[in-house]
Amino acid sequence: MNVRLDWSSRPGRPLHGNVRVPGDKSVSHRALMLAAIAEGESRIRGFLEGEDTRATAAVLAQLGVRIDTPSAGERVVHGVGLHGLRGTAQSLDCGNAGTGMRLLTGLLAGQAFDSTLVGDASLSKRPMRRVTDPLALMGARIDTHDGLPPLHVHGGQPLQGIRYELPVASAQVKSALLLAGLYAAGETEVVEPHPTRDYTERMLAAFGWPIAFAPGRAKLGGGHVLHATDVEVPADFSSAAFFLVAASIVPGAELRLPAVGLNPRRTGLLQALRLMGADITVEHEREAGGEPVGDLVVRHAPLHGVELPEALVPDMIDEFPALFIAAAVAGGTTVIRGAAELRVKESDRIATMASGLRTLGAAIEETPDGAIIHGGRLGGGTVESHLDHRIAMSFAVAGLVATGPVRINDCSHVATSFPGFLELANGCGFALHGVG
């Protein structure tokens, strides 16, 4: 159970240094799941030691998968093969991990045994029909609590591959259908209205499963075998996002962030910040574990408001809270459209960010699928995180340029995605402290 922790953020010194952010959460989840149902032993390096990913590891252990931890950030997964998972009468607790729950739903839909997936108070309010409805079209039987967790996944259901056009672009929904497709007869094809991150597709290929994919679509057939492989997890771009914004808005700042994952379906914020005038360069570009990575160098630069291209939205959906902070202190007005997905994340991120920024004196108008943010100066005040880790870290960044202290209530959930954030932030120049 999380112990409540509030933060106070205020201007510190100019930000400087190397900031090595934790491993990518999305890649860590997927590496665990595919390694678990592969044949043989897989080693995962750079694994994110967060509560979300540990919850996924614990669920897989309940299902009979042996996972060793030789050292921090490393896992050795002893795969049981496609049909080697074992059922349990116990509930499978996903904690706060929406990615974990949605992907596991697809994976468990093809098993011979029943499973019940549960989550914490925040996850229990997140909609799951967007996953369960298309899985039902494949033949899955999944009971929900009026569309919300807990989810009871019935085993022994023969699955049939389908062609499914996603009404809203979502990498999680796409991935759940592809994982179910491993167990389905025939071909499973997912078509997206906008391309989303392709971690699952790349990793399936790395584990030897035949799959055809291009931006906006993916297709695979059932009946193949996953072969164990070693996975190098890149540094998480979503975690780097807070430091990219922080260094952009703090005068005199310069930070280097090494080995950050630069999957093009993940780096929309990089393009958005550059459109706003940010000074961010990429050095030493290379590949690690099939994923493009590079060292990011970011220096302070005056930002200006933009009308954000809607084409960038799917590639930065997790980074919007940080972008809201950049927009709130930029010169001019920033217009965000096409981001209705933000309303069904860990919190309603449009409403939560708008409320917090108004508390700090910003001028912001909510729209159904975005916001209009008029840049200016931020003052101090007390804001609510709504148990949303990205909200908490974003307002910690806001405190760096506010005219008074910014208190952020209940930041305990930051450990779900970014353990050690406070220490890493203060190490490069933040003035961020826990308060009782």
Side-chain angles (χ1 to χ4, degrees):
M1 185 169 187
N2 288 303
V3 176
R4 177 174 169 134
L5 172 66
D6 300 342
W7 285 348
S8 175
S9 179
R10 64 183 68 209
R13 58 180 169 82
L15 308 181
H16 284 284
N18 285 335
V19 178
R20 186 171 290 276
V21 299
D24 188 288
K25 185 167 69 165
S26 298
V27 174
S28 296
H29 278 302
R30 289 160 171 82
L32 281 175
M33 292 183 201
L34 294 188
I37 58 172
E39 303 280 352
E41 180 182 294
S42 299
R43 186 175 296 268
I44 304 169
R45 294 183 177 88
F47 178 80
L48 171 64
E49 295 288 358
E51 292 179 9
D52 280 9
T53 48
R54 287 175 174 173
T56 293
V59 166
L60 292 168
Q62 281 182 268
L63 297 171
V65 181
R66 177 182 157 198
I67 302 175
D68 299 329
T69 306
S71 62
E74 190 174 8
R75 294 293 186 276
V76 177
V77 183
H78 302 268
V80 297
L82 205 62
H83 300 284
L85 298 177
R86 299 197 308 265
T88 174
Q90 296 178 317
S91 294
L92 304 171
D93 189 354
C94 298
N96 188 244
T99 299
M101 178 173 281
R102 289 184 173 127
L103 270 59
L104 284 166
T105 302
L107 181 62
L108 293 171
Q111 305 302 324
F113 51 82
D114 287 14
S115 304
T116 300
L117 293 164
V118 301
D120 66 7
S122 172
L123 182 53
S124 297
K125 297 175 183 175
R126 296 183 66 182
M128 293 294 156
R129 282 203 178 105
R130 57 200 310 205
V131 172
T132 60
D133 285 354
L135 287 173
L137 296 176
M138 298 178 70
R141 283 183 57 212
I142 304 168
D143 301 327
T144 70
H145 185 70
D146 197 25
L148 304 174
L151 307 180
H152 182 75
V153 185
H154 294 267
Q157 308 301 309
L159 301 184
Q160 179 65 45
I162 60 171
R163 182 182 189 276
Y164 186 73
E165 296 189 11
L166 287 173
V168 177
S170 168
Q172 292 180 2
V173 177
K174 173 180 63 175
S175 298
L177 298 180
L178 293 175
L179 290 174
L182 305 182
Y183 296 88
E187 288 189 333
T188 299
E189 183 176 9
V190 184
V191 180
E192 305 172 288
H194 305 288
T196 64
R197 62 192 68 168
D198 56 3
Y199 291 139
T200 302
E201 297 94 307
R202 287 172 179 257
M203 197 168 292
L204 280 166
F207 276 85
W209 196 281
I211 179 170
F213 63 96
R217 61 180 59 238
K219 181 166 66 174
L220 56 74
H224 301 285
V225 175
L226 292 166
H227 300 283
T229 190
D230 292 346
V231 179
E232 294 284 344
V233 180
D236 188 273
F237 184 87
S238 290
S239 296
F242 305 104
F243 294 94
L244 294 178
V245 171
S248 293
I249 65 176
V250 172
E254 180 175 342
L255 293 178
R256 174 180 290 271
L257 293 90
V260 176
L262 297 177
N263 185 300
R265 299 278 70 84
R266 186 68 176 271
T267 52
L269 179 72
L270 186 58
Q271 297 178 62
L273 288 175
R274 283 173 169 166
L275 289 174
M276 298 174 75
D279 180 358
I280 305 171
T281 57
V282 182
E283 299 179 354
H284 193 204
E285 292 187 68
R286 56 206 184 273
E287 268 207 3
E291 289 288 334
V293 301
D295 302 339
L296 298 179
V297 179
V298 53
R299 302 174 180 87
H300 170 255
L303 301 184
H304 55 80
V306 295
E307 186 156 329
L308 188 71
E310 286 191 40
L312 293 182
V313 169
D315 298 340
M316 56 180 294
I317 202 69
D318 285 335
E319 290 73 53
F320 269 100
L323 179 75
F324 271 61
I325 301 301
V329 299
T333 297
T334 295
V335 179
I336 298 166
R337 297 190 183 93
E341 169 84 358
L342 293 173
R343 294 202 180 272
V344 292
K345 302 298 281 183
E346 283 84 337
S347 67
D348 177 339
R349 285 181 173 160
I350 295 173
T352 301
M353 289 302 300
S355 174
L357 284 171
R358 285 192 201 103
T359 296
L360 303 183
I364 177 169
E365 306 158 38
E366 278 187 61
T367 63
D369 66 344
I372 302 168
I373 306 169
H374 305 283
R377 300 201 68 182
L378 296 178
T382 298
V383 299
E384 301 294 332
S385 75
H386 291 272
L387 300 178
D388 189 326
H389 49 125
R390 300 198 197 282
I391 301 295
M393 289 183 279
S394 295
F395 281 113
V397 172
L400 294 173
V401 291
T403 58
V406 174
R407 178 171 177 144
I408 310 124
N409 284 338
D410 205 347
C411 302
S412 54
H413 277 63
V414 169
T416 65
S417 68
F418 201 149
F421 172 78
L422 191 147
E423 294 79 9
L424 196 60
N426 286 334
C428 71
F430 280 60
L432 181 61
H433 305 285
V435 291

